[in-house]
Structure formats: C-alpha cells, structure tokens
Amino acid sequence: MIKPIMKDVFFLSQKSEPSTEADKQVGKDLIDTLTAHKHECVGMAANMIGVRKNVIIVDAGFMPLVMFNPVITKKSGKYETEEGCLSLIGVRPCTRYKEITVEYQDMAFKKHIQTFKDWTAQIIQHECDHLQGIII
C-alpha cells in the first residue's frame, strides 16, 4: 500500500527498532511507496512512511532491494557530498563511503552479507542513517 511521506523532523530523529517477520508488510509498503515516488526518490527507510522499524528499500537499478535490520559492517573510500531527502527540503552536506559491506535480512528473513559500491552504497548509507535518527 502506498503510504504518505513523513515530514515530522521529531519523528524522523528517533532511532528505529529491530524488525521481525511480523514486519514483512512494511517491506511491501516500502516497495509500493518507492514505486509511486520513483521519479523523485531512489531509497526509503521505514520511518519515512511513519514506521519506526529497521527496514529500508533501495532502487538498485534492476529491482528494488528491501533490507530488514541492515548493518554496515565495513566501509572504505571516504568522500564528501550533498544529498536531498524526500522527507526534507533542500540538500545538505554529508560524509559517505564509496564501498560498504552490509549484513541484512531479505523479505524471507534470510541473512545476507553483500558489498555495495558507489551510488548504491551512498543510498544505503543515507537510509541506514534514517534508521539511527540521523537527519542529513
């Protein structure tokens, strides 16, 4: 189901809680909501649709990738950039890494460890910041 985009900075600044298999619908809602905003958005965190759970979605080019409980375990290639956010107005400076390794669970709650680079890595870092209540 397409959900409204959360713009309340107080809500967005709160840390999210671990997700469980009971939160699978959140992943489906993120797919629907990202698809509806595809022209202006490449990733979302669950708190952007009003749910404080550790779930993100990334438009990886070929299909959206939903990650439950993502944790960045390695990062390299630090750089400075600017990012915008569907929940916020304007762009802001931030520090990102060119390559990251992420541990996460997929829609079937199967564990994965995967390395991402460049644009996809940047999107994942932005969404993981959301889960920690970090607002760029």
Side-chain angles (χ1 to χ4, degrees):
M1 174 181 285
I2 299 170
K3 300 289 187 176
I5 302 301
M6 172 63 66
K7 301 206 182 248
D8 180 334
V9 176
F10 177 75
F11 182 86
L12 293 169
S13 66
Q14 298 176 49
K15 285 188 177 186
S16 295
E17 300 172 1
S19 56
T20 67
E21 290 193 48
D23 298 312
K24 284 184 181 182
Q25 184 61 46
V26 176
K28 294 175 185 175
D29 291 343
L30 282 169
I31 292 169
D32 293 343
T33 306
L34 181 64
T35 301
H37 291 276
K38 193 169 184 81
H39 64 284
E40 60 186 338
C41 188
V42 292
M44 291 185 164
N47 63 356
M48 291 177 66
I49 60 169
V51 179
R52 284 185 35 239
K53 291 289 189 161
N54 287 340
V55 188
I56 67 171
I57 185 169
V58 177
D59 182 350
F62 53 94
M63 65 181 286
L65 174 61
V66 177
M67 298 180 172
F68 290 86
N69 301 309
V71 176
I72 298 170
T73 58
K74 292 181 188 174
K75 50 191 174 184
S76 64
K78 184 177 179 178
Y79 67 99
E80 302 299 319
T81 190
E82 288 185 337
E83 295 176 353
C85 180
L86 195 58
S87 290
L88 306 167
I89 296 170
V91 295
R92 293 164 178 80
C94 58
T95 301
R96 295 291 179 227
Y97 295 85
K98 288 203 172 279
E99 184 172 303
I100 61 171
T101 300
V102 184
E103 290 184 18
Y104 67 95
Q105 295 162 300
D106 63 19
M107 288 288 286
F109 270 76
K110 180 181 173 192
K111 184 178 178 182
H112 296 268
I113 300 173
Q114 194 169 351
T115 298
F116 298 91
K117 295 179 180 182
D118 304 318
W119 181 236
T120 304
Q122 184 175 341
I123 300 165
I124 293 168
Q125 291 169 80
H126 178 102
E127 304 313 333
C128 285
D129 278 356
H130 270 295
L131 300 180
Q132 296 303 310
I134 298 169
I135 299 175
I136 61 156

